[in-house]
Amino acid sequence: MLKKLRPGWGLLPVAVFLALWELVARFNLVPGELSFPPFSVVVIEFYHLAANGVLGDNFLASLTRVLIGFVTGSLAGIAVGIAMGWRENFNKALHPIISLFYPIPALGWLPLLMLWIGINELLPIAIIFICSFFPVLYNTVTGIRNVDKDYIRVARTLGASDFKILTTVAIPLALPNIFTGLRLEAGMAWRVIIAAEMVAIPTGIGALMMRAESLIRIDIIIVCLIVLAVMCLAFERFFQYMEARVTTRWR
């Protein structure tokens, strides 16, 4: 039987990748240091950006937009999804219009929202709201509608009201689907906010990347990409942790 690997072994591929990155850049295996800076140079630039507050200010701006848009969009998606999954009349009334709008990419709304809202703080929040709303809604509807009907019949036989069945049977059993939607969209929210900031917003990680591109600062661009990757991973792991904590007894 294979022995279980120690947790530290998971960092080995990352360390090998960073070492190869440093060596390839240092020995000019990719022509031109400017186009491919060593990892150590990126780390130094990360320190400088953090020390002078540039990275912190832009990161905080992006984080605030993501949190507001993601939380409001997810809550709205869960609420509407529960209504559609639990009541067939709601599903029949809302499903056609939602099916019509869902295929439109979140960034596809950007030109229209720029005209309606203008270029201000509400614009990226609205984009994140749209990005989060539809997938969470669909996962919630799927979770509610896939609850085993035998559980519902048993609860009704025992005298439980519809509201009691919804809150103590249907929603808890639908939580794995809901958390799947939240986990997937948490990373997508960061990808969308970066794109929105690159196009229309003067602050945030995306805007910092665009300024770095105009100055041909590859090291700053890589710093921003690393921040983006870390935040996507952190949000995903957070919802994995919450799902494990909340749904263990229901599973």
Side-chain angles (χ1 to χ4, degrees):
M1 181 181 293
L2 293 175
K3 293 183 178 179
K4 187 177 180 179
L5 294 176
R6 296 179 180 178
W9 282 101
L11 298 176
L12 181 60
V14 178
V16 171
F17 170 76
L18 296 179
L20 289 175
W21 176 358
E22 183 74 17
L23 292 173
V24 166
R26 288 294 178 186
F27 288 98
N28 294 320
L29 299 181
V30 175
E33 182 177 339
L34 184 63
S35 63
F36 192 70
F39 177 68
S40 57
V41 172
V42 175
V43 172
I44 293 172
E45 187 57 35
F46 179 92
Y47 171 78
H48 289 158
L49 290 172
N52 61 28
V54 172
L55 184 61
D57 292 343
N58 286 280
F59 170 73
L60 184 60
S62 295
L63 178 63
T64 302
R65 293 161 186 158
V66 168
L67 289 177
I68 295 175
F70 178 74
V71 170
T72 55
S74 297
L75 290 177
I78 291 172
V80 177
I82 290 173
M84 291 177 62
W86 188 244
R87 295 297 185 188
E88 185 61 28
N89 55 344
F90 276 104
N91 184 59
K92 289 180 178 179
L94 297 178
H95 188 268
I97 189 69
I98 289 176
S99 298
L100 182 64
F101 287 126
Y102 177 58
I104 302 175
L107 289 174
W109 294 95
L110 187 58
L112 186 61
L113 292 177
M114 290 174 66
L115 296 175
W116 283 352
I117 299 175
I119 299 178
N120 53 51
E121 283 298 314
L122 187 57
L123 177 62
I125 293 174
I127 295 294
I128 297 300
F129 179 95
I130 294 171
C131 171
S132 304
F133 174 77
F134 289 103
V136 172
L137 181 148
Y138 267 98
N139 277 274
T140 303
V141 171
T142 301
I144 294 292
R145 295 178 72 86
N146 285 345
V147 171
D148 193 330
K149 299 300 185 293
D150 288 340
Y151 293 133
I152 297 176
R153 283 192 287 268
V154 168
R156 283 208 174 97
T157 302
L158 295 175
S161 64
D162 280 356
F163 180 76
K164 190 73 172 178
I165 296 172
L166 175 64
T167 55
T168 61
V169 178
I171 292 178
L173 291 176
L175 283 177
N177 282 83
I178 295 173
F179 272 107
T180 297
L182 293 172
R183 189 172 68 250
L184 294 174
E185 288 312 305
M188 183 59 68
W190 277 98
R191 300 181 188 99
V192 170
I193 193 63
I194 295 300
E197 289 171 347
M198 292 175 69
V199 173
I201 307 299
T203 59
I205 296 297
L208 180 60
M209 290 179 65
M210 291 304 295
R211 292 197 296 272
E213 186 272 337
S214 65
L215 297 173
I216 320 179
R217 292 296 305 273
I218 308 299
D219 50 349
I220 297 179
I221 295 175
I222 294 177
V223 168
C224 294
L225 292 175
I226 291 174
V227 171
L228 172 62
V230 170
M231 292 310 301
C232 289
L233 179 61
F235 270 53
E236 181 180 348
R237 291 298 173 86
F238 170 76
F239 282 110
Q240 284 181 338
Y241 170 78
M242 291 301 298
E243 180 181 359
R245 289 292 301 272
V246 173
T247 66
T248 298
R249 67 193 186 100
W250 291 101
R251 288 184 184 277

mmCIF file of all heavy atoms in Angstrom, residues 18 21-22 37-50 55 219 222-223 226:
data_model
loop_
_atom_site.group_PDB
_atom_site.id
_atom_site.type_symbol
_atom_site.label_atom_id
_atom_site.label_comp_id
_atom_site.label_asym_id
_atom_site.label_seq_id
_atom_site.Cartn_x
_atom_site.Cartn_y
_atom_site.Cartn_z
ATOM 1 N N LEU A 18 9.291 27.404 -9.917
ATOM 2 C CA LEU A 18 9.908 28.710 -9.650
ATOM 3 C C LEU A 18 11.414 28.663 -9.893
ATOM 4 O O LEU A 18 11.999 29.632 -10.411
ATOM 5 C CB LEU A 18 9.616 29.137 -8.217
ATOM 6 C CG LEU A 18 8.136 29.391 -7.883
ATOM 7 C CD1 LEU A 18 7.979 29.783 -6.430
ATOM 8 C CD2 LEU A 18 7.559 30.466 -8.792
ATOM 9 N N TRP A 21 11.934 28.711 -13.598
ATOM 10 C CA TRP A 21 11.653 30.076 -14.056
ATOM 11 C C TRP A 21 12.880 30.960 -13.848
ATOM 12 O O TRP A 21 13.321 31.677 -14.764
ATOM 13 C CB TRP A 21 10.446 30.594 -13.289
ATOM 14 C CG TRP A 21 10.056 32.018 -13.557
ATOM 15 C CD1 TRP A 21 10.675 32.922 -14.382
ATOM 16 C CD2 TRP A 21 8.950 32.713 -12.992
ATOM 17 N NE1 TRP A 21 10.019 34.129 -14.352
ATOM 18 C CE2 TRP A 21 8.959 34.024 -13.512
ATOM 19 C CE3 TRP A 21 7.950 32.348 -12.088
ATOM 20 C CZ2 TRP A 21 8.008 34.972 -13.136
ATOM 21 C CZ3 TRP A 21 7.001 33.283 -11.725
ATOM 22 C CH2 TRP A 21 7.034 34.582 -12.252
ATOM 23 N N GLU A 22 13.462 30.906 -12.648
ATOM 24 C CA GLU A 22 14.619 31.739 -12.336
ATOM 25 C C GLU A 22 15.811 31.386 -13.234
ATOM 26 O O GLU A 22 16.481 32.275 -13.777
ATOM 27 C CB GLU A 22 14.992 31.550 -10.864
ATOM 28 C CG GLU A 22 16.148 32.412 -10.382
ATOM 29 C CD GLU A 22 15.764 33.866 -10.197
ATOM 30 O OE1 GLU A 22 14.558 34.168 -10.134
ATOM 31 O OE2 GLU A 22 16.681 34.708 -10.150
ATOM 32 N N PRO A 37 11.284 38.419 -17.055
ATOM 33 C CA PRO A 37 12.109 38.708 -15.879
ATOM 34 C C PRO A 37 12.227 37.504 -14.961
ATOM 35 O O PRO A 37 11.286 36.695 -14.872
ATOM 36 C CB PRO A 37 11.345 39.838 -15.196
ATOM 37 C CG PRO A 37 9.936 39.648 -15.624
ATOM 38 C CD PRO A 37 10.003 39.125 -17.027
ATOM 39 N N PRO A 38 13.328 37.343 -14.257
ATOM 40 C CA PRO A 38 13.466 36.246 -13.299
ATOM 41 C C PRO A 38 12.451 36.381 -12.166
ATOM 42 O O PRO A 38 11.949 37.468 -11.873
ATOM 43 C CB PRO A 38 14.900 36.413 -12.779
ATOM 44 C CG PRO A 38 15.594 37.246 -13.799
ATOM 45 C CD PRO A 38 14.559 38.133 -14.388
ATOM 46 N N PHE A 39 12.189 35.265 -11.511
ATOM 47 C CA PHE A 39 11.226 35.280 -10.412
ATOM 48 C C PHE A 39 11.687 36.203 -9.284
ATOM 49 O O PHE A 39 10.866 36.871 -8.642
ATOM 50 C CB PHE A 39 11.022 33.863 -9.881
ATOM 51 C CG PHE A 39 10.099 33.786 -8.712
ATOM 52 C CD1 PHE A 39 8.748 34.053 -8.869
ATOM 53 C CD2 PHE A 39 10.579 33.460 -7.451
ATOM 54 C CE1 PHE A 39 7.883 33.992 -7.779
ATOM 55 C CE2 PHE A 39 9.717 33.401 -6.366
ATOM 56 C CZ PHE A 39 8.369 33.660 -6.524
ATOM 57 N N SER A 40 12.984 36.243 -9.042
ATOM 58 C CA SER A 40 13.509 37.109 -7.976
ATOM 59 C C SER A 40 13.211 38.578 -8.265
ATOM 60 O O SER A 40 12.917 39.355 -7.353
ATOM 61 C CB SER A 40 15.011 36.894 -7.807
ATOM 62 O OG SER A 40 15.692 37.139 -9.036
ATOM 63 N N VAL A 41 13.289 38.977 -9.534
ATOM 64 C CA VAL A 41 12.966 40.356 -9.909
ATOM 65 C C VAL A 41 11.489 40.647 -9.648
ATOM 66 O O VAL A 41 11.125 41.727 -9.171
ATOM 67 C CB VAL A 41 13.314 40.597 -11.391
ATOM 68 C CG1 VAL A 41 12.813 41.965 -11.856
ATOM 69 C CG2 VAL A 41 14.816 40.480 -11.603
ATOM 70 N N VAL A 42 10.645 39.684 -9.946
ATOM 71 C CA VAL A 42 9.209 39.841 -9.690
ATOM 72 C C VAL A 42 8.944 39.983 -8.195
ATOM 73 O O VAL A 42 8.131 40.813 -7.767
ATOM 74 C CB VAL A 42 8.434 38.652 -10.272
ATOM 75 C CG1 VAL A 42 6.948 38.733 -9.897
ATOM 76 C CG2 VAL A 42 8.588 38.598 -11.785
ATOM 77 N N VAL A 43 9.638 39.192 -7.382
ATOM 78 C CA VAL A 43 9.472 39.274 -5.928
ATOM 79 C C VAL A 43 9.895 40.644 -5.417
ATOM 80 O O VAL A 43 9.222 41.257 -4.568
ATOM 81 C CB VAL A 43 10.277 38.165 -5.229
ATOM 82 C CG1 VAL A 43 10.272 38.364 -3.714
ATOM 83 C CG2 VAL A 43 9.704 36.802 -5.577
ATOM 84 N N ILE A 44 11.013 41.156 -5.930
ATOM 85 C CA ILE A 44 11.481 42.476 -5.509
ATOM 86 C C ILE A 44 10.470 43.556 -5.899
ATOM 87 O O ILE A 44 10.166 44.464 -5.109
ATOM 88 C CB ILE A 44 12.866 42.771 -6.132
ATOM 89 C CG1 ILE A 44 13.915 41.825 -5.549
ATOM 90 C CG2 ILE A 44 13.263 44.225 -5.910
ATOM 91 C CD1 ILE A 44 15.263 41.903 -6.238
ATOM 92 N N GLU A 45 9.931 43.453 -7.103
ATOM 93 C CA GLU A 45 8.934 44.435 -7.536
ATOM 94 C C GLU A 45 7.652 44.309 -6.710
ATOM 95 O O GLU A 45 7.020 45.329 -6.391
ATOM 96 C CB GLU A 45 8.623 44.249 -9.023
ATOM 97 C CG GLU A 45 7.724 45.323 -9.591
ATOM 98 C CD GLU A 45 8.289 46.726 -9.412
ATOM 99 O OE1 GLU A 45 9.525 46.887 -9.483
ATOM 100 O OE2 GLU A 45 7.486 47.658 -9.198
ATOM 101 N N PHE A 46 7.287 43.093 -6.360
ATOM 102 C CA PHE A 46 6.129 42.890 -5.483
ATOM 103 C C PHE A 46 6.347 43.628 -4.158
ATOM 104 O O PHE A 46 5.434 44.303 -3.644
ATOM 105 C CB PHE A 46 5.925 41.406 -5.229
ATOM 106 C CG PHE A 46 4.771 41.081 -4.320
ATOM 107 C CD1 PHE A 46 3.516 40.829 -4.848
ATOM 108 C CD2 PHE A 46 4.938 41.035 -2.945
ATOM 109 C CE1 PHE A 46 2.438 40.539 -4.018
ATOM 110 C CE2 PHE A 46 3.874 40.750 -2.106
ATOM 111 C CZ PHE A 46 2.622 40.499 -2.640
ATOM 112 N N TYR A 47 7.544 43.513 -3.609
ATOM 113 C CA TYR A 47 7.861 44.201 -2.347
ATOM 114 C C TYR A 47 7.766 45.717 -2.508
ATOM 115 O O TYR A 47 7.185 46.406 -1.667
ATOM 116 C CB TYR A 47 9.258 43.802 -1.870
ATOM 117 C CG TYR A 47 9.738 44.635 -0.706
ATOM 118 C CD1 TYR A 47 9.271 44.384 0.584
ATOM 119 C CD2 TYR A 47 10.653 45.676 -0.907
ATOM 120 C CE1 TYR A 47 9.715 45.154 1.652
ATOM 121 C CE2 TYR A 47 11.088 46.453 0.156
ATOM 122 C CZ TYR A 47 10.614 46.191 1.434
ATOM 123 O OH TYR A 47 11.039 46.957 2.482
ATOM 124 N N HIS A 48 8.323 46.230 -3.607
ATOM 125 C CA HIS A 48 8.289 47.677 -3.824
ATOM 126 C C HIS A 48 6.849 48.179 -3.972
ATOM 127 O O HIS A 48 6.483 49.214 -3.393
ATOM 128 C CB HIS A 48 9.097 48.039 -5.071
ATOM 129 C CG HIS A 48 10.573 47.881 -4.888
ATOM 130 N ND1 HIS A 48 11.452 47.711 -5.942
ATOM 131 C CD2 HIS A 48 11.339 47.854 -3.775
ATOM 132 C CE1 HIS A 48 12.682 47.593 -5.482
ATOM 133 N NE2 HIS A 48 12.638 47.672 -4.168
ATOM 134 N N LEU A 49 6.037 47.456 -4.740
ATOM 135 C CA LEU A 49 4.647 47.865 -4.935
ATOM 136 C C LEU A 49 3.859 47.796 -3.627
ATOM 137 O O LEU A 49 2.998 48.651 -3.372
ATOM 138 C CB LEU A 49 3.971 46.972 -5.980
ATOM 139 C CG LEU A 49 4.446 47.137 -7.429
ATOM 140 C CD1 LEU A 49 3.823 46.056 -8.306
ATOM 141 C CD2 LEU A 49 4.085 48.515 -7.966
ATOM 142 N N ALA A 50 4.163 46.792 -2.814
ATOM 143 C CA ALA A 50 3.476 46.679 -1.531
ATOM 144 C C ALA A 50 3.950 47.751 -0.551
ATOM 145 O O ALA A 50 3.143 48.328 0.193
ATOM 146 C CB ALA A 50 3.694 45.286 -0.939
ATOM 147 N N LEU A 55 0.219 48.608 -4.698
ATOM 148 C CA LEU A 55 -0.440 47.311 -4.815
ATOM 149 C C LEU A 55 -1.608 47.205 -3.841
ATOM 150 O O LEU A 55 -2.690 46.724 -4.200
ATOM 151 C CB LEU A 55 0.572 46.189 -4.572
ATOM 152 C CG LEU A 55 0.047 44.764 -4.748
ATOM 153 C CD1 LEU A 55 -0.436 44.541 -6.169
ATOM 154 C CD2 LEU A 55 1.125 43.753 -4.383
ATOM 155 N N ASP A 219 7.400 42.845 -15.209
ATOM 156 C CA ASP A 219 7.444 42.384 -13.821
ATOM 157 C C ASP A 219 6.184 42.785 -13.060
ATOM 158 O O ASP A 219 5.634 41.993 -12.280
ATOM 159 C CB ASP A 219 8.693 42.916 -13.121
ATOM 160 C CG ASP A 219 8.875 44.422 -13.294
ATOM 161 O OD1 ASP A 219 8.153 45.019 -14.124
ATOM 162 O OD2 ASP A 219 9.741 45.005 -12.624
ATOM 163 N N ILE A 222 3.268 40.589 -14.152
ATOM 164 C CA ILE A 222 3.332 39.252 -13.544
ATOM 165 C C ILE A 222 2.918 39.314 -12.084
ATOM 166 O O ILE A 222 2.237 38.413 -11.580
ATOM 167 C CB ILE A 222 4.742 38.662 -13.712
ATOM 168 C CG1 ILE A 222 5.033 38.412 -15.195
ATOM 169 C CG2 ILE A 222 4.868 37.356 -12.927
ATOM 170 C CD1 ILE A 222 6.425 37.900 -15.468
ATOM 171 N N VAL A 223 3.307 40.381 -11.373
ATOM 172 C CA VAL A 223 2.865 40.550 -9.987
ATOM 173 C C VAL A 223 1.344 40.566 -9.917
ATOM 174 O O VAL A 223 0.733 39.903 -9.073
ATOM 175 C CB VAL A 223 3.450 41.843 -9.386
ATOM 176 C CG1 VAL A 223 2.766 42.176 -8.060
ATOM 177 C CG2 VAL A 223 4.948 41.707 -9.167
ATOM 178 N N ILE A 226 -0.073 37.127 -10.480
ATOM 179 C CA ILE A 226 0.102 36.277 -9.305
ATOM 180 C C ILE A 226 -0.961 36.602 -8.249
ATOM 181 O O ILE A 226 -1.550 35.704 -7.637
ATOM 182 C CB ILE A 226 1.521 36.445 -8.720
ATOM 183 C CG1 ILE A 226 2.552 35.845 -9.679
ATOM 184 C CG2 ILE A 226 1.631 35.784 -7.348
ATOM 185 C CD1 ILE A 226 3.990 36.084 -9.272
#
